[in-house]
Amino acid sequence: MSFKDALNSGRFVVTAEAGPPKGTDISKIVHEVEALKGKVDAVNVTDNQSAVMRISSTSFCKILIDMGIEPILQMTCRDRNRIGLQSDLLGASILGIRNVLCMTGDHPNAGDHKEAKPVYDIESVQLLGVIDALNNGKDMMGNDLQGSTDYLQGAVVTPEANPLEPQLMKFKKKVNVGAKFFQTQAVYNIDNFKSFMGHARKYPVHPVRKDAGYNGVKILAGLVLLKSAGMANFMNKFVPGIIVPQELIDELKAAGKEKALDTGIDIMASHIKQLKAENVCDGVHIMAIGAEDKVPAIMERAGLL
Amino acid sequence: MIITKRRDVKELQENIKDYKSFFLLGCSECATLCATGGEPEIKALKEELEKQGKEVTGSFVAKTGCQVLGTKVELKKSSKEALDKADCILVMSCGAGTQTSVELFEDKPVYPTNDSLFLGNMTRMQMFDERCSLCGECILDGTGGICPITACPKGLLNGPCGGTNEGKCEVSSEIDCAWVRIYNRLSKINRLKDMEQIVEPKNWASHRKPMNLNTREKASSGKDKPV
């Protein structure tokens, strides 16, 4: 079943994430994502995440397709202007890529090429609109395409953003320009996430176009695997929009160095269980950050396998 | 105004190592307010150069260094002899001022003493910040008068990115998130509906380099009438 069909089926969907390496040796990441095959519905491939230069997202998506894993192409607006983005979208389409996650992209300042010229010719809301046009046989200037794309376009949102209201306004714009699914920034406080979902559920069906064959905007809660108390503290300090509650940090601390990862897996599994049991959202997006081989264990403990 | 700062001294020394005598040209407008091209800075540079065994044949503070004709007339009146004697002209204003001299002195080398940084607002004495990027098509009408093309490091047009953090920017905690500022401002003036508008991709063709503008009325042809 494709990712799109899985979303439309109404069952609880699971996606994971893979970050291509810097350099041409992909043996390690290929080995790690192998563990995800047949377990998750799709795997995101990051686009030079944190503005650190790596293998292109599109190329690694093609590797996943060849492995029998459905990819979600993450596409940021940081490195390509509107010509480059559209050209790469057409290119990804002929490689069989069918899902795109539209993002603004971390500023080069965060990465390993700080002197790079940031592009941001268009941004995430506009990129969603571009994909809608390409799906309808036109480029963003209205020129006819010889063969259109068939993308399921998604976007991101930060449920714990502070202040939340401007974030929600942008979320609504993304829905209005055709985002079909959202994968959120990491959430750890399920009550806060539920309150975000209260806002998000105001848009159950695409409010403008009511696309045929599509029954609403799907939201996958983003979950980042906690590997240690230090990692949790680091994210609290340096990653905007991520708030790891103190009680979880205490739990990781109490577990000690050797058991911390196992505790992190338990924490995520219990969050997934709760989200599914209470029908809070449409699925989860698991970001294991280098521990992709732990995803099956997480899913098992969450009762998904 | 155009904000400038002194260039790296070593770079300038490398630029001028082949020359012995200099004319120093400041500017009474932006560069004076930035303390990079007023009387005190000219005096200081003169002393620096003389310490290095160079000669300063003269100096002048142009009224408006980016005004080509005005500067030409001023210099002709005030400094012709000193200019003739100089091997090289050092311009202590912005890149525009430097290129005024390049146009006026075809046969003399001209070097800038300053880096030109941005179009700035002066908040306090010698404190400047950038609020306008001269992008060619003003969007302040839809953003409560705060420019996200300038104030947001990503120049986002449709709201904050995921890096917004308690009102601060992911790029630096010293930068206020432009879109939180816009949101707060629009809330205050009861215009939040402006932020709900989906802003289309910007037309960068309206900012194609090199820009120029001619609003003179050309009586003979009837073309180029001011709008």
Side-chain angles (χ1 to χ4, degrees):
Chain A
M1 188 187 277
S2 71
F3 174 58
K4 183 180 186 175
D5 290 342
L7 283 176
N8 275 328
S9 73
R11 73 169 166 78
F12 197 77
V13 168
V14 180
T15 55
E17 187 164 297
K22 183 192 272 293
T24 55
D25 180 1
I26 56 169
S27 51
K28 183 169 177 277
I29 183 89
V30 164
H31 178 73
E32 279 169 357
V33 293
E34 192 73 49
L36 305 173
K37 192 174 166 180
K39 306 254 180 358
V40 299
D41 293 288
V43 174
N44 286 41
V45 180
T46 53
D47 177 7
N48 296 293
Q49 72 268 31
S50 308
V52 172
M53 189 283 291
R54 303 161 205 254
I55 293 174
S56 100
S57 177
T58 306
S59 305
F60 197 70
C61 281
K62 171 65 172 145
I63 298 282
L64 290 187
I65 291 174
D66 292 345
M67 291 172 71
I69 296 171
E70 182 168 352
I72 297 172
L73 173 70
Q74 291 194 182
M75 188 166 245
T76 72
C77 300
R78 178 189 55 235
D79 308 319
R80 288 159 287 188
N81 72 3
R82 61 192 80 183
I83 299 172
L85 289 167
Q86 291 180 101
S87 170
D88 282 358
L89 281 164
L90 294 179
S93 181
I94 61 169
L95 294 176
I97 295 163
R98 291 292 171 262
N99 314 297
V100 185
L101 188 75
C102 301
M103 314 163 92
T104 299
D106 293 326
H107 194 278
N109 188 53
D112 66 349
H113 287 63
K114 292 186 200 302
E115 295 187 1
K117 183 175 186 182
V119 180
Y120 304 114
D121 179 28
I122 60 174
E123 32 97 303
S124 56
V125 171
Q126 296 159 347
L127 181 59
L128 286 161
V130 167
I131 294 174
D132 192 58
L134 297 178
N135 279 348
N136 286 296
K138 302 272 187 194
D139 71 14
M140 65 184 283
M141 299 306 289
N143 300 307
D144 287 330
L145 300 178
Q146 197 176 321
S148 52
T149 60
D150 180 21
Y151 281 123
L152 185 74
Q153 67 271 47
V156 297
V157 63
T158 305
E160 300 241 43
N162 180 19
L164 184 60
E165 188 59 29
Q167 187 75 198
L168 290 175
M169 291 174 83
K170 191 160 185 179
F171 170 80
K172 191 176 166 190
K173 285 187 182 186
K174 289 176 174 177
V175 175
N176 283 339
V177 292
K180 304 294 193 294
F181 68 95
F182 283 82
Q183 291 169 313
T184 76
Q185 175 60 290
V187 290
Y188 290 99
N189 183 324
I190 303 300
D191 287 335
N192 285 358
F193 182 65
K194 281 185 194 168
S195 113
F196 162 77
M197 285 303 296
H199 296 287
R201 286 286 189 232
K202 286 181 200 155
Y203 316 107
V205 176
H206 196 289
V208 177
R209 281 186 291 269
K210 294 192 169 56
D211 295 40
Y214 195 74
N215 59 5
V217 173
K218 304 292 182 181
I219 295 172
L220 311 186
L223 302 170
V224 167
L225 178 62
L226 293 171
K227 296 184 205 166
S228 66
M231 174 196 177
N233 285 323
F234 178 87
M235 287 198 298
N236 276 347
K237 203 166 171 196
F238 295 110
V239 186
I242 294 188
I243 303 164
V244 185
Q246 190 57 42
E247 68 220 49
L248 295 184
I249 299 175
D250 292 343
E251 225 177 290
L252 291 163
K253 233 183 238 164
K257 229 180 185 176
E258 276 177 20
K259 286 267 184 179
L261 178 60
D262 198 59
T263 304
I265 293 173
D266 276 340
I267 291 169
M268 192 187 282
S270 85
H271 285 167
I272 295 173
K273 260 188 190 165
Q274 188 188 354
L275 291 167
K276 185 167 187 263
E278 298 180 24
N279 196 23
V280 177
C281 54
D282 304 295
V284 286
H285 175 57
I286 299 173
M287 292 170 269
I289 313 187
E292 282 71 30
D293 56 332
K294 298 287 181 287
V295 173
I298 296 166
M299 293 176 70
E300 220 163 89
R301 289 189 209 178
L304 294 172
L305 285 179
Chain B
M1 80 182 82
I2 305 302
I3 310 306
T4 47
K5 72 171 175 47
R6 230 349 248 278
R7 277 177 69 209
D8 186 81
V9 177
K10 280 189 188 132
E11 275 178 34
L12 184 65
Q13 278 173 351
E14 180 64 23
N15 289 157
I16 63 172
K17 65 174 186 215
D18 296 336
Y19 307 109
K20 288 202 171 62
S21 56
F22 299 88
F23 184 85
L24 311 184
L25 179 59
C27 175
S28 79
E29 307 264 10
C30 318
T32 291
L33 283 167
C34 291
T36 53
E39 291 289 2
E41 294 77 44
I42 288 180
K43 188 167 171 264
L45 183 60
K46 182 171 185 276
E47 282 166 13
E48 250 175 73
L49 290 167
E50 284 170 351
K51 229 181 262 171
Q52 295 164 27
K54 310 265 188 192
E55 184 197 348
V56 174
T57 63
S59 64
F60 186 72
V61 178
K63 185 177 173 303
T64 309
C66 53
Q67 200 189 324
V68 182
L69 277 183
T71 305
K72 183 180 181 179
V73 172
E74 280 179 330
L75 285 175
K76 203 173 173 185
K77 268 193 204 158
S78 67
S79 314
K80 191 168 180 319
E81 209 172 303
L83 279 159
D84 285 345
K85 275 196 271 174
D87 296 340
C88 174
I89 295 168
L90 295 180
V91 182
M92 304 174 68
S93 57
C94 63
T98 302
Q99 291 178 75
T100 295
S101 288
V102 169
E103 182 177 333
L104 297 182
F105 305 102
E106 281 178 347
D107 53 355
K108 273 196 208 295
V110 176
Y111 287 100
T113 65
N114 298 329
D115 285 321
S116 302
L117 303 178
F118 55 92
L119 169 62
N121 287 50
M122 185 161 95
T123 51
R124 300 254 173 99
M125 196 59 186
Q126 291 185 23
M127 284 173 70
F128 310 96
D129 58 33
E130 186 182 21
R131 299 184 190 181
C132 171
S133 297
L134 304 171
C135 71
E137 256 180 7
C138 196
I139 60 162
L140 290 174
D141 58 331
T143 59
I146 293 167
C147 177
I149 289 172
T150 310
C152 167
K154 302 179 184 177
L156 300 183
L157 298 176
N158 277 296
C161 71
T164 179
N165 197 9
E166 298 185 7
K168 298 293 178 185
C169 173
E170 73 174 23
V171 170
S172 160
S173 58
E174 284 172 22
I175 302 173
D176 290 327
C177 172
W179 277 100
V180 171
R181 286 177 57 207
I182 291 169
Y183 174 81
N184 290 337
R185 163 95 178 139
L186 289 172
S187 279
K188 272 186 198 147
I189 60 172
N190 205 20
R191 298 269 326 172
L192 269 180
K193 64 175 190 293
D194 290 351
M195 199 166 146
E196 287 167 9
Q197 300 302 314
I198 290 170
V199 180
E200 295 298 319
K202 190 167 171 59
N203 172 15
W204 286 108
S206 60
H207 188 60
R208 193 172 284 141
K209 305 277 185 190
M211 301 278 281
N212 60 61
L213 177 69
N214 180 355
T215 54
R216 280 171 74 133
E217 191 161 4
K218 286 187 185 163
S220 54
S221 68
K223 283 181 187 167
D224 291 346
K225 283 196 174 169
V227 191

